[in-house]
Amino acid sequence: MSTLASLALFLGVLSLGGWALSGYMTRIYEGRRVWLSPVVAPLERALMRLAGPRASAPQGWRAYALSAVIFNAAGALLLFALLRLQGHLPFNPAGLPGLSAPLAFNTAISFVTNTNWQAYSGEAQLSLLSQMLGLTVQNFASAATGMAVGIAVIRGFAGTAGRTDLGNFWQDLLRGILYVLLPMSVVLALLLVAEGVPQVLAGAVHATTLSGADQWIARGPVASQVAIKQLGTNGGGFFGVNGAHPFENPTVASDMVQTLAILLIPVAFCFVFGRMAGDRRQGRAIFAAMGLLFVAGLAVILWAELQPNALIGAGAGLEGKEERFGPVLSALWAAATTAASNGSVNAMHDSFQPLSGLIMLINMQLGEVIFGGVGSGLYGMLLYVVLAVFLAGLMVGRTPEYLGRKIEGREVTLAMLAFLSMPLGILGGAALSVMVPQAAASAQATGPHGLSETLYAYSSAVANNGSAFGGWNAGTPWQETALGLLMLLGRYAILVPVLAIAGSLAAKPRAAVTAGSFPTHGPLFVVLLILTVLILGALTFFPVLALGPLAEQAALAAGQAY
Amino acid sequence: MSHSEPAQKGLYGQALRMALRKCDPRSLIANPVIFVTALVAAMTSVLALRDLFTGAPHAGVSLQIAAWLWICVLFSNFAEALAEGRGRARADALRATRTQTMVQLLADPEDDAPRAVPSDQLKPGDLLRVGPGDLIPTDAEAVKGVASVDESAITGESAPVIREAGGDRSSLTGGTRIVSDSLVIRIVAAPGQSFLDRMIAMVEGAERQRTPNEIALNILLAGLSLIFLIVTVTLEPFARSAGLVIPVVTLGALFVTLIPTTIGGLLSAIGIAGMDRLVKANVIARSGRAVEAAGDVDTLLLDKTGTITFGNRMADAFLPAAGVPERALIEAAHLASLSDETPEGKSIVTLARERLPELAQDLPKGTPVPFTAQTRLSGLDLPERALRKGAVDAVERLTGAALEPALKRAVEEIARSGGTPLLVAEDTRVLGAIHLKDVIKPGVRARFAELRAMGIRTVMITGDNPLTAAAIAAEAGVDDFLAEATPEMKLDYIRREQSGGRLVAMCGDGSNDAPALAQADVGVAMNAGTPAAKEAANLVDLDSDPTKLIEIVMVGKQLLISRGALTTFSIANDVAKYFAILPAIFVAAYPGLGGLNIMHLHSPESAILSAVIFNALILVALIPLALRGVGYVPASAAALLRRNLSLYGLGGLIVPFIGIKAIDLAITALGLA
């Protein structure tokens, strides 16, 4: 019972925190004063002045999307060059050589798209310069890009009539970093330091173990990197084993705080949507739909992990989990990270029960819309909203409209276009991977579990999650290249059409709300939205999930393991 | 229009023949969902035949799957053909009026020497003389004269109507016939482009343009089909990696059952049937967009006269002056109105006889005094007394005295309540007042309440003064009114509503309505109206009945609801189909997945066949619904959503589970799989 109570407390704190943060974020993106303004505003002004007056002019959706793509393309090129040339650059005490082209491509795309899929091994392959100037910069930049686009999409969907621009990308980007990500990272890093997470610039320390062996214990500016990796739904850890490492996540408290940090900004985005729409019920409806899906998924994972193992017949599964977290906190973390597009782990997902793997896969395959990535979770969910409103909206006998704007051919076309990228990328990519012999070798398990591993990798990449199931070799040229390309597809084949929808909606007159208007704020709409997500999103993957985790679960029940 | 039984049978036969003809790939391609269904059906047929000759196992089942896929395609075509066929009978009747005749072409309106030319050589601007029995060759406008015209070919109304030069009744529709008198008319539409031609094209579906929502829905359906194509195509390698080879026929069956064939197959039939309902209501839509826009309307501007009230005022009460017995007033009013042929006069007689039935018995002989513009009084001169009735100021002039205070108050009260007071006088003594009242049509109030529940505001347009208008508005239950309305005020009102984000519908007939009709999102012109009004409107009501506006809104809504309901149903069906087909496919590799066979279908073959049969049968079963339109009870959007979501969403989830299980039992019993 105390488990349930503490989970309820966690959800309560998350909701309230998200609500409080949403007010602050709304003020920031609307350019109003906040309590940080006296400190940050001069810096913001100076930076914007440096960029010139044109850099802060209002942008239509095309200009906005172009700015975001150019910014990310430049970031990716820079990161690619840095990773390739790190052998010739300073701050490379270990004298590490440059990465191979496919690996550098994969890593650059991974960090720019907020995926943070790690095909490399951080300690062994990256110089300090690559870590700090490359990855950490992109942890902020990719998160702020997602948030900026999220805000632009909100403006298009919910903005006042007559305003056809979506804001200014550069300004939104800068505000996201200066007012939200940086200050929150500082606070979170301090909290983590208090829990014992190292934050030093010194190198590894030497220790002699009880058995007399030499051990080098790596440390460094861990707390700061962990803070942004969680807040920005990035997930790329300082250490290879990520949140399972005692220096990244030493205590139950640090674990809870980080789980909160993962979901906080995505939750706040739901409420920002309601606030900017001038109708908070709209934001609460989306929050409710996401929240119910989250809780349902969490419940299945918890149930599966607390079950006695079907083969051994006793004990909750602790394989691959940290003793200090146990099954409950590991399940919560797994649910939160796969739902929220955060690639970090505090346990090995590969070792979870097949049903848990099923939920993690579904969380990602829906396109990371259960809270999802910062900004991107909301705009992904808005795609489902467009389809739900269009389908059911006709049933009230009017041209479907959302927040007073008609959903017509153009919006439906763009939504379907964006919608195609999940099945195309995940199913198409994974199918190729099982067909091509050199790719198929990446799956190390056989049978349904092997398929689950491949499916997990492709779902994680296309959905820009970045977490890994484990037990699957991502380090081959085929996988590095294919996954790199699919991360691009999963990010921009959604981001650009959604911005186009927002631009198209912004240009439409806003219809008056009458008793004949389709209601999009009540429990009925929440149910409709959840059903749309499940039927149009999850059902697409039902056949392949049957062959993967479901087949494994069925076999496990019959006493067979893979 | 009623169909006799044999005609109905002929309709089905014709539709079936058309359905086969529509299997031409060039015509199928217009419907992407059905086109790919036909492709899969063709592929399955070839594979099934190959299996049959090579003696592969389950060739019989493959053959049955192929047959049911073809049935799916055929019945989609059949639904469309049936919808078109219903209109065609009417089109043929209309076309019969479009015969070629010789017409009398004039050089100018005063020309006395007309030239005979064939009617198909006319062009807009030509002047013609038409006399009794002549057919109006194409749409025209009267420029000289008055005539009565039989419009029954277009409207079905047998009573002739008056058409005259100038004013708002100058429009003549091609295909109508002059009954008496003659007219000089100016041609406004070249032969082949008249209303009649447009109507024929529309009812035949030949010129059917897809409406915006239909286009959007088609895109959604095509997108979903593409997603399911990816799902089925990639399933093959995934299954192969599990050591399972799925037959192509099975993959094809899975694909077709997943794509939204139900709505895809019925989409165009729904559209055509919706237009057909309008045609049945005698309304011509100048574009499909207008019909959908009618469903979106937020504000209805309704003319008071004819829509909200009967055209005429009727006597409602007698109010005697002080010291006058009520009986005396009623008697005098009755006599003074006996020879009054106006509806108001007749209504006074009717009311008087209702109150005092014996009045009808002995009618005194007297001299009727007709209404003149000078006296503005009418009445009856009897040997010993003169009875008069008329407007208050006219009677005051007659008696030469102001009204006594009590009666004056009563008269003012009548005016304030929206009525018209008439005074009755015997010689120079005022006997009392008659309350003439605008009578609200029965049921109007309830109708407006329904509209309000649907979120539609009703606005009454009237030439009455604000006081009268307010009283009638309150009684009829409209949300707002526009008193002493001028065309400019209507236009302003529409613009104001539109700037508030509301869509406005109105009907009108006069030329001065044209700007407002053009500004309104849905403008319904009366067919009797001027060409200018008809040109500005996007719908034309052939019956010239302003009440039609409400019906048009309902048709528009029903059209959209039908599409949405069947789409939701179609997509919700997929859940059951997955549970039927997937375990059937996978159970060979993973026996544990037999647990997904929650319907306990007999065998993998029977499961797949049952899903395919259900898919075909549900399409056939829903054809009547598509043609009739789904049931629609006016209600708020929230209530409609709740009702339709549980009916078609939940129904769409549950029905196929039951249907597929039943079919599985049947085909197992019959030994088909």
Side-chain angles (χ1 to χ4, degrees):
Chain A
M1 218 39 230
S2 73
T3 303
L4 284 184
S6 54
L7 285 177
L9 183 69
F10 171 81
L11 292 173
V13 171
L14 176 64
S15 312
L16 286 176
W19 174 254
L21 180 60
S22 72
Y24 174 75
M25 281 172 60
T26 306
R27 291 183 72 86
I28 287 163
Y29 285 109
E30 284 179 348
R32 289 185 283 162
R33 268 182 78 83
V34 291
W35 58 275
L36 268 179
S37 293
V39 187
V40 181
L43 183 60
E44 182 196 350
R45 273 197 300 275
L47 284 168
M48 287 312 285
R49 207 176 303 124
L50 213 61
R54 277 189 56 207
S56 54
Q59 292 174 313
W61 78 263
R62 281 189 188 83
Y64 204 102
L66 194 67
S67 302
V69 170
I70 287 176
F71 174 68
N72 287 0
L77 278 176
L78 200 70
L79 185 51
F80 179 78
L82 197 61
L83 295 172
R84 289 286 281 159
L85 300 174
Q86 67 175 2
H88 310 287
L89 296 171
F91 298 105
N92 186 7
L96 296 167
L99 301 185
S100 73
L103 183 57
F105 167 75
N106 182 286
T107 306
I109 298 302
S110 166
F111 276 78
V112 166
T113 55
N114 198 241
T115 309
N116 304 54
W117 171 264
Q118 291 168 288
Y120 62 91
S121 169
E123 305 97 307
Q125 283 175 288
L126 295 188
S127 75
L128 282 180
L129 188 75
S130 297
Q131 287 265 25
M132 287 160 61
L133 197 63
L135 305 189
T136 309
V137 165
Q138 281 306 325
N139 272 350
F140 281 94
S142 66
T145 300
M147 289 164 67
V149 172
I151 289 294
V153 169
I154 293 175
R155 289 193 188 112
F157 271 75
T160 47
R163 179 179 174 177
T164 54
D165 70 278
L166 299 182
N168 179 280
F169 173 74
W170 307 107
Q171 190 144 37
D172 291 337
L173 182 81
L174 198 59
R175 286 180 178 163
I177 294 173
L178 293 182
Y179 287 92
V180 185
L181 293 174
L182 266 177
M184 286 177 71
S185 296
V186 170
V187 174
L188 182 59
L190 289 176
L191 280 176
L192 292 175
V193 167
E195 283 301 307
V197 177
Q199 177 72 13
V200 291
L201 285 171
V205 286
H206 177 261
T208 307
T209 64
L210 287 177
S211 55
D214 281 335
Q215 189 180 8
W216 288 94
I217 300 171
R219 44 182 198 162
V222 182
S224 59
Q225 180 160 345
V226 170
I228 184 60
K229 99 171 179 194
Q230 307 299 34
L231 285 168
T233 56
N234 292 294
F238 191 89
F239 298 101
V241 292
N242 212 304
H245 195 288
F247 277 1
E248 277 208 16
N249 192 5
T251 62
V252 167
S254 74
D255 188 87
M256 292 294 270
V257 166
Q258 287 186 42
T259 315
L260 270 178
I262 288 168
L263 293 167
L264 193 59
I265 296 179
V267 166
F269 256 94
C270 299
F271 300 127
V272 170
F273 180 73
R275 286 175 189 267
M276 289 179 85
D279 181 357
R280 295 180 184 187
R281 296 172 308 172
Q282 304 289 346
R284 287 202 289 264
I286 289 180
F287 170 76
M290 290 180 173
L292 286 172
L293 283 165
F294 177 76
V295 169
L298 175 63
V300 175
I301 298 182
L302 269 177
W303 180 83
E305 295 309 312
L306 292 174
Q307 281 294 99
N309 187 300
L311 285 185
I312 307 163
L318 270 175
E319 184 203 294
K321 297 190 181 74
E322 294 295 300
E323 279 288 353
R324 65 188 182 282
F325 303 137
V328 173
L329 286 182
S330 302
L332 177 63
W333 186 286
T337 52
T338 51
S341 178
N342 185 304
S344 66
V345 290
N346 76 348
M348 294 303 112
H349 291 179
D350 196 27
S351 304
F352 276 58
Q353 294 295 307
L355 271 186
S356 307
L358 175 80
I359 297 300
M360 295 188 247
L361 279 167
I362 292 175
N363 277 347
M364 293 188 285
Q365 287 164 345
L366 296 178
E368 296 294 9
V369 297
I370 306 175
F371 299 123
V374 286
S376 59
L378 182 75
Y379 69 64
M381 189 52 124
L382 286 176
L383 276 179
Y384 282 102
V385 168
V386 165
L387 292 180
V389 164
F390 181 76
L391 280 175
L394 284 174
M395 283 198 293
V396 305
R398 282 167 69 108
T399 298
E401 53 192 33
Y402 185 54
L403 303 181
R405 270 139 177 165
K406 290 200 186 313
I407 307 288
E408 291 169 299
R410 185 177 161 78
E411 290 76 40
V412 172
T413 311
L414 289 164
M416 285 316 286
L417 212 63
F419 213 67
L420 270 173
S421 50
M422 281 298 134
L424 187 68
I426 296 173
L427 294 177
L432 271 182
S433 184
V434 300
M435 280 161 77
V436 178
Q438 78 212 64
S442 285
Q444 282 154 20
T446 53
H449 194 72
L451 183 59
S452 293
E453 287 175 356
T454 304
L455 204 55
Y456 196 101
Y458 279 85
S459 302
S460 177
V462 181
N464 297 143
N465 178 292
S467 79
F469 209 39
W472 194 81
N473 182 12
T476 69
W478 172 282
Q479 302 297 9
E480 284 165 355
T481 313
L483 292 173
L485 289 172
L486 290 177
M487 284 186 256
L488 284 177
L489 175 89
R491 182 75 162 180
Y492 301 102
I494 292 175
L495 185 149
V496 176
V498 173
L499 273 175
I501 293 175
S504 166
L505 289 178
K508 291 184 186 208
R510 203 162 169 182
V513 175
T514 68
S517 307
F518 182 79
T520 55
H521 49 72
L524 194 61
F525 181 73
V526 173
V527 171
L528 175 71
L529 186 56
I530 289 175
L531 285 179
T532 307
V533 168
L534 292 180
I535 291 183
L536 290 184
L539 220 50
T540 308
F541 298 96
F542 187 42
V544 72
L545 290 173
L547 284 175
L550 280 175
E552 196 185 345
Q553 177 71 30
L556 188 68
Q560 189 188 0
Y562 291 94
Chain B
M1 238 197 198
S2 65
H3 293 282
S4 57
E5 269 305 302
Q8 195 76 19
K9 261 185 206 144
L11 216 55
Y12 287 132
Q14 202 179 13
L16 212 52
R17 278 194 297 280
M18 278 302 295
L20 285 169
R21 207 172 308 151
K22 281 169 185 276
C23 285
D24 183 336
R26 281 167 301 182
S27 94
L28 278 182
I29 192 105
N31 186 338
V33 175
I34 293 305
F35 182 71
V36 296
T37 307
L39 281 184
V40 174
M43 184 191 73
T44 309
S45 307
V46 172
L47 292 175
L49 287 175
R50 185 201 65 186
D51 287 354
L52 201 63
F53 289 120
T54 58
H58 307 311
V61 173
S62 301
L63 215 52
Q64 290 181 64
I65 290 176
W68 285 104
L69 294 181
W70 282 118
I71 286 175
C72 224
V73 175
L74 260 181
F75 273 91
S76 161
N77 290 344
F78 177 74
E80 191 179 277
L82 199 60
E84 288 169 356
R86 298 208 304 186
R88 191 165 299 115
R90 166 124 195 178
D92 289 342
L94 290 171
R95 203 178 277 115
T97 65
R98 211 176 44 173
T99 46
Q100 177 166 327
T101 51
M102 294 302 280
V103 294
Q104 307 289 316
L105 189 67
L106 303 177
D108 61 74
E110 311 301 330
D111 190 355
D112 287 331
R115 198 155 52 86
V117 294
S119 60
D120 60 356
Q121 288 177 13
L122 290 170
K123 49 191 190 304
D126 282 351
L127 293 171
L128 302 183
R129 180 181 303 284
V130 285
D134 284 352
L135 197 66
I136 306 293
T138 175
D139 295 351
E141 185 181 12
V143 292
K144 199 177 143 200
V146 184
S148 65
V149 179
D150 172 11
E151 293 192 336
S152 58
I154 305 292
T155 64
E157 179 62 52
S158 57
V161 295
I162 300 295
R163 291 287 174 260
E164 60 187 330
D168 291 343
R169 292 186 299 169
S170 61
S171 170
L172 292 136
T173 311
T176 57
R177 196 176 286 275
I178 304 283
V179 180
S180 67
D181 302 299
S182 70
L183 287 173
V184 174
I185 60 174
R186 184 189 295 115
I187 300 300
V188 295
Q193 289 164 25
S194 68
F195 254 81
L196 193 60
D197 297 297
R198 270 190 231 161
M199 187 156 162
I200 291 170
M202 195 187 82
V203 296
E204 284 193 320
E207 266 183 35
R208 204 174 76 86
Q209 296 164 319
R210 288 192 173 160
T211 56
N213 278 312
E214 195 179 350
I215 293 169
L217 194 49
N218 247 316
I219 293 166
L220 179 87
L221 299 181
L224 287 177
S225 304
L226 206 55
I227 288 174
F228 290 123
L229 184 68
I230 296 172
V231 170
T232 14
V233 168
T234 56
L235 189 56
E236 210 279 339
F238 289 135
R240 201 176 281 273
S241 78
L244 188 69
V245 178
I246 307 176
V248 177
V249 172
T250 306
L251 282 174
L254 177 65
F255 174 60
V256 170
T257 48
L258 290 183
I259 61 174
T261 45
T262 314
I263 178 64
L266 298 176
L267 190 56
S268 67
I270 294 171
I272 297 169
M275 288 299 228
D276 192 51
R277 278 196 288 284
L278 268 194
V279 170
K280 280 218 183 92
N282 264 334
V283 174
I284 291 190
R286 291 161 59 94
S287 73
R289 187 179 282 271
V291 185
E292 275 185 359
D296 292 347
V297 159
D298 301 292
T299 305
L300 283 181
L301 300 195
L302 299 168
D303 277 333
K304 183 197 80 175
T305 308
T307 311
I308 296 169
T309 63
F310 290 108
N312 313 300
R313 286 147 188 256
M314 311 241 250
D316 184 59
F318 296 105
L319 305 164
V324 177
E326 190 183 32
R327 190 184 173 85
L329 171 64
I330 297 175
E331 242 170 350
H334 178 246
L335 289 173
S337 307
L338 271 179
S339 54
D340 186 347
E341 286 300 311
T342 64
E344 286 88 350
K346 286 180 177 165
S347 77
I348 296 173
V349 173
T350 310
L351 183 70
R353 289 183 184 174
E354 244 170 57
R355 305 288 295 277
L356 305 169
E358 67 276 17
L359 283 181
Q361 259 97 62
D362 72 309
L363 295 173
K365 290 274 174 295
T367 316
V369 178
F371 180 87
T372 67
Q374 281 76 43
T375 62
R376 291 167 56 227
L377 293 165
S378 65
L380 187 72
D381 279 344
L382 293 170
E384 69 280 18
R385 55 189 178 143
L387 300 171
R388 293 289 184 276
K389 71 172 202 305
V392 176
D393 56 337
V395 173
E396 276 179 333
R397 198 148 24 85
L398 175 79
T399 59
L403 290 181
E404 53 165 292
L407 191 59
K408 193 175 173 64
R409 270 198 305 280
V411 162
E412 279 165 357
E413 182 55 37
I414 291 172
R416 208 169 13 253
S417 72
T420 307
L422 283 187
L423 291 182
V424 180
E426 185 180 315
D427 299 324
T428 57
R429 181 178 168 224
V430 176
L431 297 178
I434 305 173
H435 184 168
L436 288 183
K437 198 174 165 185
D438 252 324
V439 179
I440 311 282
K441 286 186 167 181
V444 162
R445 211 187 153 83
R447 201 85 200 255
F448 291 159
E450 270 177 19
L451 288 170
R452 197 170 305 114
M454 288 157 60
I456 299 176
R457 262 162 48 86
T458 45
V459 180
M460 181 181 81
I461 308 286
T462 171
D464 292 341
N465 65 60
L467 210 63
T468 311
I472 297 173
E475 191 176 346
V478 293
D479 297 293
D480 194 7
F481 63 89
L482 202 56
E484 288 166 353
T486 62
E488 294 73 39
M489 284 168 68
K490 285 194 217 178
L491 191 60
D492 284 347
Y493 195 92
I494 293 173
R495 289 205 173 123
R496 212 165 43 241
E497 287 288 302
Q498 286 172 336
S499 68
R502 283 179 285 274
L503 262 67
V504 184
M506 72 165 283
C507 59
D509 48 12
S511 292
N512 52 18
D513 281 334
L517 279 171
Q519 180 72 35
D521 300 283
V522 176
V524 183
M526 303 293 105
N527 190 41
T530 60
K534 282 154 81 173
E535 206 51 52
N538 34 27
L539 294 155
V540 177
D541 176 21
L542 295 171
D543 296 340
S544 302
D545 170 11
T547 328
K548 215 53 102 41
L549 195 50
I550 299 171
E551 247 175 89
I552 293 169
V553 169
M554 300 291 177
V555 169
K557 285 201 179 290
Q558 198 187 26
L559 183 65
L560 295 179
I561 293 175
S562 301
R563 285 197 196 124
L566 290 187
T567 307
T568 307
F569 185 83
S570 194
I571 292 173
N573 273 347
D574 278 1
V575 177
K577 291 169 184 171
Y578 271 123
F579 278 98
I581 296 185
L582 290 187
I585 298 177
F586 295 150
V587 79
Y590 300 115
L593 287 181
L596 291 178
N597 182 8
I598 53 178
M599 285 175 270
H600 299 291
L601 303 179
H602 176 255
S603 68
E605 291 73 34
S606 78
I608 295 167
L609 187 57
S610 301
V612 172
I613 293 177
F614 175 82
N615 198 51
L617 288 184
I618 197 75
L619 197 155
V620 179
L622 289 174
I623 291 177
L625 190 69
L627 295 184
R628 199 178 59 230
V630 303
Y632 171 48
V633 193
S636 71
L640 279 176
L641 181 65
R642 203 160 35 242
R643 176 182 179 273
N644 289 333
L645 203 58
S646 50
L647 206 57
Y648 299 99
L650 205 61
L653 282 176
I654 296 167
V655 165
F657 278 103
I658 299 167
I660 291 173
K661 177 66 188 172
I663 293 169
D664 182 73
L665 288 175
I667 59 176
T668 309
L670 292 172
L672 292 174

